[in-house]
């Protein structure tokens, strides 16, 4: 009886699917590189579906910053970006652009 039970246990262990022991596939990141040539710091937003505004972060005056765009937002391409000057009055929006996973979008803010 023990021998049959041991054989059944070994046989059932051989039926389980193999577990992938290799490293997981890397996630492709989509980024936005913002070069701010203005003196004002800017809050950077991505507009999803034209109605939802999602903050990516802040780029300080006269500097550059790279932001990661979440994958679920990239899937809703085309995207628009909105810039809000801290201490300023007027927000600026980009035209709609098509973005694919893994792209690096570059945006330059001119001096005022």
């Amino acid at each position: 009886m023990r021998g049959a039970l041991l054989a059944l246990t070994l046989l059932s262990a051989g039926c389980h699917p193999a577990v992938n022991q290799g490293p997981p596939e890397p996630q492709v990141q989509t980024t936005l590189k913002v070069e701010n040539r203005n003196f004002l710091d800017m809050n950077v937003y991505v507009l999803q579906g034209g109605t939802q505004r999602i903050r990516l972060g802040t780029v300080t005056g006269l500097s550059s910053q790279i932001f990661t765009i979440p994958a679920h937002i990239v899937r809703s391409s085309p995207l628009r970006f909105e810039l809000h000057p801290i201490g300023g009055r007027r927000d600026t929006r980009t035209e709609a652009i098509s973005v694919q996973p893994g792209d690096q979008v570059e945006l330059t803010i001119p001096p005022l």
Side-chain angles (χ1 to χ4, degrees):
M1 182 72 168
R2 276 187 159 172
L5 186 57
L6 180 62
L8 184 59
T9 303
L10 292 175
L11 182 61
S12 67
C15 295
H16 289 282
V19 177
N20 184 2
Q21 298 296 328
E25 295 211 13
Q27 294 292 333
V28 178
Q29 289 192 337
T30 306
T31 58
L32 171 68
K33 180 181 179 184
V34 180
E35 182 181 346
N36 187 359
R37 296 181 181 172
N38 197 308
F39 286 105
L40 296 176
D41 297 346
M42 299 280 181
N43 284 327
V44 180
Y45 300 89
V46 61
L47 303 174
Q48 183 179 20
T51 58
Q52 187 177 13
R53 187 172 86 155
I54 300 160
R55 185 175 184 273
L56 296 177
T58 301
V59 59
T60 57
L62 303 175
S63 70
S64 295
Q65 182 74 33
I66 296 176
F67 303 102
T68 300
I69 304 171
H72 70 278
I73 296 173
V74 175
R75 287 191 293 269
S76 67
S77 183
L79 302 177
R80 294 180 72 186
F81 298 95
E82 181 177 286
L83 303 166
H84 173 77
I86 299 173
R89 296 183 189 162
R90 192 173 144 193
D91 293 346
T92 302
R93 289 186 175 182
T94 67
E95 295 292 322
I97 61 169
S98 180
V99 179
Q100 299 296 319
D103 285 353
Q104 180 176 28
V105 180
E106 295 187 14
L107 179 63
T108 300
I109 304 168
L112 293 177

